[in-house]
Amino acid sequence: MKTQVPHNFVFSQSNLQTYLNCRYKFYLRYIQKLAWPAQTTIDDLRFEEDRNAGIRFHQLLHQYFIGFNPELLIRMAENDPDSRVLVWFQTFLASPYAQLQGKLESEKTITTCVDDKNFIVKYDLLQFKSGQYTIYDWKTSNKVPNRERLIDNIQTRLYPVILSEAYQTDLPIRLIIWEIIAPDAPFIFSFSSQELKRNAQYFKSLCDEIVSLEKTDFFKTANTRQCKICEYRSHCNRGITPATFEDLEESALTDLEDYWNTNRDDANLV
Ligand code: SF4
């Protein structure tokens, strides 16, 4: 049986989350590569402002971790067109994350092959200290996500697995998701080697399933809430009105994170 997925396809948090949200969207975006521009939300200006402020905040943190003078970065934040960026950066400087020790790698990309499938992930920050890896993920969400939803999020499960597979390590791995609007309440997830193996098996089964599907198996989701935030909604006859800002969910933000993290061609099809 001929697979619909190209042999050199690279799985990422974004395309796997897309598949789980809607198989047909995965087919349109990653197999057909159908560009279908659509207004993301009714308030696109605010959406763009939030996204761009988040990108600049990530850049400031990257520059901090690669050794830029913090005074210079504060001046850059002071001159940022969005006043939130300075507040966020000052919050960061006052947090324990500005004092991290050990081996630190900012904006660390890992590409690896697991069971003949290619994967790419990009960590905001990777720390190795005292025999433990910790992955840090900075977020600038408007709303603090629900922990239960984060646990099930593809990013939460995939990031540690790819690290353990690429580095061939059985060491436990932590993932810390730091929401800038709740700086004192980071989400901390710890993964034992058994959990990492279980999650690796989950991704193996998921990717095997994706590459085995026939064209007709990439059906449209029954969850029409996904359609509200999907750029293909007019293509699918699932409405033409853009989502409200409140309709945006973690899945949409995951796509955007992939966009600014990897800047890959397929991610540009957001
Ligand atoms: S509009 Fe709905 S059915 Fe169509 S691709 Fe998007 S999520 Fe899937």
Side-chain angles (χ1 to χ4, degrees):
M1 181 174 60
K2 186 178 178 308
T3 176
Q4 297 287 321
V5 179
H7 75 279
N8 58 349
F9 190 78
V10 181
F11 289 98
S12 68
Q13 63 160 51
S14 180
N15 56 43
L16 288 170
Q17 191 70 59
T18 297
Y19 175 78
L20 293 178
N21 291 345
C22 177
R23 288 184 179 191
Y24 189 57
K25 182 172 179 177
F26 179 94
Y27 177 79
L28 292 177
R29 183 185 283 185
Y30 299 109
I31 298 177
Q32 280 209 333
K33 296 188 182 297
L34 176 65
W36 197 267
Q39 193 176 340
T40 310
T41 71
I42 286 174
D43 192 351
D44 254 11
L45 186 59
R46 181 179 157 200
F47 184 73
E48 283 293 313
E49 282 175 359
D50 284 1
R51 186 178 76 165
N52 291 336
I55 291 170
R56 295 194 298 274
F57 176 61
H58 275 71
Q59 285 171 344
L60 280 173
L61 265 54
H62 177 54
Q63 289 163 332
Y64 177 87
F65 283 112
I66 63 174
F68 277 47
N69 183 338
E71 296 301 322
L72 172 67
L73 297 177
I74 290 170
R75 282 206 296 280
M76 287 170 62
E78 285 171 343
N79 289 321
D80 195 279
D82 192 319
S83 60
R84 290 174 299 178
V85 173
L86 176 60
V87 175
W88 293 342
F89 191 58
Q90 287 171 329
T91 303
F92 164 76
L93 290 175
S95 77
Y97 306 112
Q99 309 297 332
L100 293 175
Q101 303 293 316
K103 184 182 178 191
L104 301 175
E105 295 178 276
S106 177
E107 300 289 327
K108 172 76 175 174
T109 299
I110 291 184
T111 54
T112 193
C113 188
V114 182
D115 281 329
D116 78 359
K117 311 287 188 313
N118 300 310
F119 288 86
I120 184 168
V121 295
K122 188 165 188 177
Y123 307 125
D124 287 342
L125 185 72
L126 179 61
Q127 178 193 40
F128 184 69
K129 179 172 173 269
S130 307
Q132 180 169 53
Y133 286 103
T134 304
I135 300 162
Y136 295 88
D137 192 60
W138 324 123
K139 290 203 186 295
T140 55
S141 311
N142 288 309
K143 196 167 75 174
V144 179
N146 178 302
R147 184 180 174 88
E148 302 315 311
R149 286 195 61 195
L150 279 180
I151 289 172
D152 282 341
N153 194 292
I154 284 291
Q155 181 193 43
T156 308
R157 301 175 72 178
L158 182 68
Y159 274 17
V161 165
I162 295 305
L163 184 63
S164 70
E165 294 284 334
Y167 286 14
Q168 292 289 295
T169 176
D170 281 332
L171 292 172
I173 294 174
R174 288 194 311 164
L175 170 65
I176 297 183
I177 298 175
W178 190 50
E179 285 282 1
I180 195 69
I181 56 166
D184 298 326
F187 294 99
I188 302 175
F189 302 96
S190 296
F191 298 88
S192 65
S193 62
Q194 286 85 355
E195 285 170 305
L196 291 167
K197 284 191 177 74
R198 261 201 310 276
N199 282 340
Q201 185 56 45
Y202 167 78
F203 285 110
K204 179 179 181 320
S205 302
L206 182 63
C207 295
D208 283 346
E209 173 185 295
I210 294 172
V211 301
S212 73
L213 296 182
E214 303 275 8
K215 182 179 173 186
T216 51
D217 295 323
F218 290 96
F219 45 76
K220 295 176 183 174
T221 179
N223 179 6
T224 52
R225 287 190 66 205
Q226 289 294 336
C227 305
K228 289 180 85 173
I229 56 170
C230 176
E231 71 270 28
Y232 296 113
R233 57 189 174 271
S234 58
H235 174 86
C236 294
N237 285 326
R238 294 253 172 126
I240 55 171
T241 309
T244 64
F245 206 75
E246 286 66 34
D247 286 327
L248 288 178
E249 294 181 338
E250 275 291 303
S251 54
L253 296 175
T254 298
D255 282 351
L256 294 172
E257 191 158 84
D258 193 69
Y259 170 84
W260 71 61
N261 274 350
T262 66
N263 201 24
R264 294 172 57 235
D265 287 347
D266 54 5
N268 282 337
L269 288 171
V270 170

